[in-house]
Amino acid sequence: MQKPLKHFLGIADLDAAEIRKLLQIAKAFAPVVKKGENIPLLQGRTIVNLFFEASTRTRASFELATRTLAASAMSLSIPDSSVKKGETLIDTAKNIEAMKPHCLVVRHASAGSPLFLSKFVSVPVVNAGDGFHEHPTQALLDALTIEEKLGSIEKKRVVIVGDIAHSRVARSNIYLLRKMGASVAVCGPPTLLPPSPEVLGVDYAYRPEKLLKDADVVMALRIQLERQNKMQIPSVAEYSKFWGINKERVKLLKPGAIILHPGPINRGVEIDTEVADGKHSVILDQVSNGVLVRMAVLASVCAPEKTQEWLKSRGVNV
Amino acid sequence: MSSWLIRGGRIIDPSQKWDSEGDLLIENGKISAIDKPGKIPASKAEKTFDAKGAWILPGLIDVHVHLREPGLEYKETIQTGTRAAIAGGFTSVACMANTSPVNDTPYITALIRDKAKATASCRVFPIGAVSKGLQGQELAEIGGMVAEGAVAISDDGMPVMNSYLMRKAMDYAKTFGVAVISHAEDANLVGQGAMNESALSNELGLRGNPAAAEEIMVAREIALCRLTKTPIHIAHISTMVALQHVMRAKEDGLPVTAEVSPHHLTLTEEAVRGYDTNYKMAPPLRQERDVEALKKALAEGYVDVIATDHAPHGITDKAVEFDQAINGIIGLQTAVPLSLKLVHDGVVSRTRWLESLTTGPAKLLNLPYGTLKVGAPADITVLDPNHEWTFTADQVLSKSANSPFLGWKLKGSTVATWVGGRLAYQGGEVLHI
């Protein structure tokens, strides 16, 4: 049996067996959750969502996962409270910790802040996205979706299109997919690719056409429309023209290929409406799977033994 | 389209290291044969052109002109500018984006391309803007412009001062395989400078534009080239130290190229003494040591391209106080004799001179021209290298006559040019459009 995870900070810290186990737990939860039942592994616990950066679906997904595990969820949006008053990250976290929660789920705009926090608090820290660094539960839910649709991740070709340089989703996915035996390519305007993409173990192209025909999985990443990005992309129209996943580009795909998007979607920018709602799209499956993998993560870090027992009682051997 | 046999001249083509007497056959708009004198039977062609005593060259390419259309037609149009080009021996020109509106969208690029198709006497290749409105704030639609025919990007006379934007432009340009051209001057340091900063600017009471303004930007562009690996082309380099930066970068193997203008090879700041605004340009005329360094760098191949920076301006733009006048001079009809003087003087080899007007520009813009190889489009310039003439206002085919070389005795002139196999200029007459 593996050593239980103390924190859940990033895919980079996990090995393939640990990833596989989390996916198996999520899969074991699925039939129960589908029936609308709870799995009360965290009864009486409190999970605090510390969101220093705005989020809709990730926070909702963690809250739902928390409740489905019968724990109570407390969500704090920090941008509009303490930080504005000049409180440091450590002080905020220590104050929250003094309220005796059992786990901190942290989203922060600065890379490395969940790791930083984990050194100052005694409860498990779960990374819900840190800067451009990692979004590990997103990578897990994407992995669960790929396994569900394609059977396995091994030997699959995954093409990630969009703003790779500023994407925690891309980094976590690259780490996970490679550990699970997939080959990964990234694609986007060079202004949005990291310097030396090859150091991440991926190959890359500036234009999607040459990559799409071999893809089993295409991930379109959200293009941010903020003003600062106009030094990186001339216009939404030009991005869409050269990099958008549209009907024409989808024609290059193999019949069974699937298209993922971490949301929220900019229809007509990185993905066209016909594609987002089309037969290759598995975007809504990703959202459902998000709750399952977050349950698996919370259960594993907060109550590893209880989770193990539950799995055993259901005949799941992990 | 007629077939032509051009014979009796000296064929010089650096792209295939050809430099000897020979005959050349044009069929169906392409060069179909090139051979020793008399080897191609006259019966092969409908028409024969006698190039005795002349040089038969690949059509010259100018990577840096301002055609002013759309929007500034009082200075120049695509039609008038390309008439000057073809008379000057140029069969291809690349036009800068500072039109009105600026060529920063695919629509304007297409407009220029289509207007050229309808009215131009030579090939016209639009250069797209780096930033929207040349404002240096946001990237222009580079991909879309390239799709409509843009061959490079540049904000030219409005240097991109934001290094982050320049870096991103160089990154972005990689996708579309186009070079970035930099008018390398630090706009803040240039300030209101009206001539080269020196003892002379002090004496003349004109605000100076120091060589450092150019040298800083050339060094920055090289640093960004090192970072992004995107080719960077330094337009109209003019100082000795800027050249040293380029030479060092080339020795490091970086994809840095540079162009020099005929006026920077010909004139020094001394010309400004009379406050004639036809000696006002950006970068400004420099000093003797700079001019000598430019000649040497051209001879040694550190400067890749001769380009005119043909910048037509109306009388109202130029017939004003020196410090109020707009920068720039026309150059298409004088580029050949001014630069050829370096060959006549034995300063630059004939091959180096011609490379900088043919293969150098073609490589920069990735064009299939600038060569007389069999199968290539028949863009040909026939020059009389020894013809002596005086450049006068009535010969100016540009809409503007802002040249400091009016009244100059020049040596070397265009005898005839063909564009795509069509005779476009002969005996002082523009024949095609």
Side-chain angles (χ1 to χ4, degrees):
Chain A
M1 186 175 146
Q2 294 157 3
K3 216 170 73 191
L5 299 168
K6 179 152 171 33
H7 301 287
F8 181 75
L9 299 175
I11 299 294
D13 307 331
L14 305 179
D15 59 27
E18 288 167 322
I19 294 164
R20 209 166 286 124
K21 181 172 174 182
L22 287 166
L23 292 174
Q24 273 174 297
I25 296 171
K27 280 179 199 162
F29 287 166
V32 185
V33 172
K34 202 168 252 174
K35 278 190 278 177
E37 293 171 13
N38 281 359
I39 303 170
L41 295 171
L42 302 184
Q43 188 101 51
R45 314 265 183 121
T46 304
I47 312 290
V48 173
N49 288 323
L50 265 180
F51 276 57
F52 294 88
E53 191 185 66
S55 159
T56 308
R57 75 195 60 207
T58 303
R59 205 179 79 176
S61 181
F62 268 107
E63 284 175 12
L64 195 53
T66 302
R67 284 175 198 153
T68 311
L69 291 166
S72 35
M74 180 168 77
S75 286
L76 294 172
S77 279
I78 316 290
D80 41 27
S81 61
S82 297
V83 172
K84 283 192 180 151
K85 296 175 192 155
E87 192 174 50
T88 66
L89 180 58
I90 294 171
D91 286 337
T92 304
K94 288 220 171 242
N95 276 278
I96 302 291
E97 197 191 19
M99 300 173 200
K100 307 289 179 208
H102 298 90
C103 176
L104 298 180
V105 176
V106 179
R107 154 83 54 107
H108 199 288
S110 300
S113 34
L115 171 66
F116 174 72
L117 267 186
S118 72
K119 293 175 179 167
F120 293 91
V121 297
S122 53
V123 295
V125 173
V126 170
N127 183 0
D130 62 326
F132 311 153
H133 176 224
E134 281 232 40
H135 192 353
T137 55
Q138 178 72 41
L140 283 176
L141 73 88
D142 289 342
L144 188 59
T145 308
I146 296 168
E147 287 199 339
E148 204 173 85
K149 299 291 168 186
L150 302 181
S152 110
I153 293 171
E154 203 176 353
K155 298 210 167 71
K156 295 294 186 296
R157 175 67 161 171
V158 183
V159 175
I160 309 177
V161 184
D163 184 353
I164 311 295
H166 311 101
S167 174
R168 52 187 168 228
V169 174
R171 274 180 190 76
S172 284
N173 261 303
I174 290 166
Y175 297 147
L176 185 147
L177 292 165
R178 293 200 58 250
K179 286 175 192 219
M180 300 292 278
S183 98
V184 183
V186 297
C187 175
T191 47
L192 298 181
L193 295 183
S196 318
E198 64 280 358
V199 302
L200 296 173
V202 299
D203 52 317
Y204 65 97
Y206 299 144
R207 298 287 293 275
E209 282 75 10
K210 55 175 83 166
L211 295 173
L212 290 179
K213 64 182 195 326
D214 298 319
D216 299 296
V217 178
V218 177
M219 286 184 191
L221 299 182
R222 178 176 168 78
I223 289 299
Q224 305 287 337
L225 305 170
E226 287 87 29
R227 194 181 147 74
Q228 67 184 66
N229 290 8
K230 291 187 179 170
M231 291 204 189
Q232 297 165 355
I233 318 162
S235 64
V236 161
E238 178 146 316
Y239 183 86
S240 170
K241 179 181 162 98
F242 291 101
W243 292 280
I245 304 302
N246 57 22
K247 268 194 297 188
E248 289 309 304
R249 294 201 170 99
V250 164
K251 284 184 193 156
L252 302 170
L253 291 175
K254 298 192 263 195
I258 56 172
I259 297 173
L260 284 75
H261 189 301
I265 298 175
N266 291 309
R267 287 176 186 263
V269 182
E270 70 271 359
I271 189 162
D272 275 6
T273 282
E274 299 94 314
V275 176
D277 302 336
K279 64 176 187 215
H280 295 279
S281 170
V282 297
I283 295 171
L284 294 178
D285 301 273
Q286 289 174 268
V287 179
S288 314
N289 287 335
V291 178
L292 295 173
V293 299
R294 286 167 184 130
M295 286 174 66
V297 168
L298 291 174
S300 299
V301 296
C302 297
E305 279 139 36
K306 235 173 149 185
T307 304
Q308 200 67 34
E309 279 166 32
W310 183 87
L311 290 169
K312 208 178 277 172
S313 75
R314 312 290 290 197
V316 182
N317 191 20
V318 294
Chain B
M1 200 182 304
S2 305
S3 53
W4 283 91
L5 178 65
I6 306 173
R7 62 179 186 189
R10 181 178 197 88
I11 296 175
I12 313 172
D13 178 12
S15 79
Q16 47 187 330
K17 301 200 167 24
W18 190 301
D19 188 345
S20 63
E21 305 289 313
D23 297 348
L24 189 137
L25 184 66
I26 306 171
E27 290 177 300
N28 302 317
K30 295 199 155 67
I31 292 161
S32 61
I34 172 168
D35 214 329
K36 292 193 181 95
K39 290 279 187 188
I40 305 170
S43 60
K44 282 265 200 180
E46 292 155 39
K47 295 180 180 171
T48 300
F49 188 90
D50 183 7
K52 197 166 162 41
W55 289 351
I56 303 165
L57 313 175
L60 308 181
I61 303 169
D62 188 347
V63 303
H64 192 150
V65 304
H66 298 269
L67 295 180
R68 307 299 189 206
E69 191 175 354
L72 299 164
E73 289 86 352
Y74 78 95
K75 296 174 192 259
E76 189 78 288
T77 63
I78 290 169
Q79 181 170 36
T80 56
T82 56
R83 285 166 64 87
I86 205 81
F90 294 96
T91 55
S92 292
V93 296
C95 56
M96 285 295 175
N98 61 341
T99 48
S100 178
V102 169
N103 181 19
D104 59 359
T105 64
Y107 315 105
I108 302 297
T109 308
L111 177 94
I112 294 168
R113 180 199 62 204
D114 293 345
K115 195 71 195 281
K117 198 171 278 175
T119 67
S121 296
C122 71
R123 300 183 198 273
V124 173
F125 298 97
I127 294 171
V130 167
S131 70
K132 293 193 183 92
L134 309 175
Q135 294 300 302
Q137 303 290 324
E138 299 174 4
L139 285 183
E141 290 183 325
I142 293 161
M145 291 189 290
V146 172
E148 297 296 343
V151 292
I153 54 168
S154 180
D155 277 1
D156 195 32
M158 301 279 282
V160 178
M161 286 303 295
N162 184 323
S163 303
Y164 179 82
L165 180 69
M166 191 63 172
R167 184 260 166 99
K168 288 296 170 184
M170 290 174 71
D171 275 337
Y172 195 77
K174 269 192 280 209
T175 315
F176 303 100
V178 291
V180 184
I181 300 175
S182 169
H183 173 127
E185 282 191 301
D186 181 316
N188 298 319
L189 189 50
V190 170
Q192 301 294 308
M195 69 170 290
N196 184 49
E197 181 171 317
S198 63
L200 184 63
S201 66
N202 192 5
E203 181 188 334
L204 296 182
L206 289 169
R207 280 201 179 87
N209 168 1
E214 177 172 334
E215 289 150 8
I216 285 168
M217 279 301 244
V218 169
R220 183 195 77 169
E221 309 306 31
I222 290 167
L224 292 176
C225 175
R226 203 183 293 276
L227 178 65
T228 62
K229 304 290 181 290
T230 301
I232 184 84
H233 177 72
I234 308 296
H236 41 51
I237 196 162
S238 75
T239 88
M240 185 183 75
V241 175
L243 270 173
Q244 287 165 351
H245 291 320
V246 168
M247 289 160 84
R248 170 76 201 279
K250 281 176 176 268
E251 278 157 13
D252 286 352
L254 295 176
V256 174
T257 53
E259 82 192 25
V260 63
S261 73
H263 49 270
H264 286 119
L265 286 167
T266 307
L267 301 167
T268 69
E269 62 174 8
E270 283 297 319
V272 177
R273 277 191 183 280
Y275 300 90
D276 179 343
T277 59
N278 283 332
Y279 295 100
K280 185 176 177 190
M281 62 280 291
L285 297 173
R286 306 288 188 186
Q287 299 183 327
E288 195 61 41
R289 62 164 201 173
D290 300 302
V291 175
E292 291 310 310
L294 290 172
K295 290 178 184 173
K296 188 161 182 279
L298 179 64
E300 290 172 353
Y302 289 107
V303 166
D304 308 82
V305 169
I306 295 174
T308 61
D309 191 11
H310 176 82
H313 288 299
I315 289 169
T316 50
D317 301 321
K318 280 296 205 181
V320 295
E321 302 86 333
F322 195 88
D323 56 1
Q324 303 295 311
I326 296 184
N327 285 313
I329 59 168
I330 57 169
L332 282 164
Q333 289 177 261
T334 49
V336 162
L338 291 174
S339 58
L340 191 59
K341 183 169 189 301
L342 302 176
V343 179
H344 286 309
D345 292 349
V347 174
V348 175
S349 74
R350 189 158 62 193
T351 304
R352 273 300 307 134
W353 169 75
L354 192 52
E355 280 172 351
S356 69
L357 289 161
T358 56
T359 51
K363 193 172 164 207
L364 171 65
L365 301 181
N366 200 18
L367 301 177
Y369 311 113
T371 175
L372 297 176
K373 282 186 181 155
V374 169
D379 287 13
I380 296 160
T381 297
V382 176
L383 286 186
D384 180 346
N386 297 313
H387 176 237
E388 294 189 30
W389 57 293
T390 302
F391 184 47
T392 55
D394 61 315
Q395 295 164 346
V396 173
L397 294 174
S398 275
K399 213 162 178 176
S400 301
N402 52 312
S403 170
F405 303 111
L406 288 168
W408 278 44
K409 279 202 174 62
L410 302 170
K411 190 171 167 187
S413 67
T414 312
V415 175
T417 55
W418 283 258
V419 180
R422 190 196 298 262
L423 184 63
Y425 177 86
Q426 187 191 0
E429 295 292 324
V430 178
L431 304 172
H432 174 48
I433 305 180

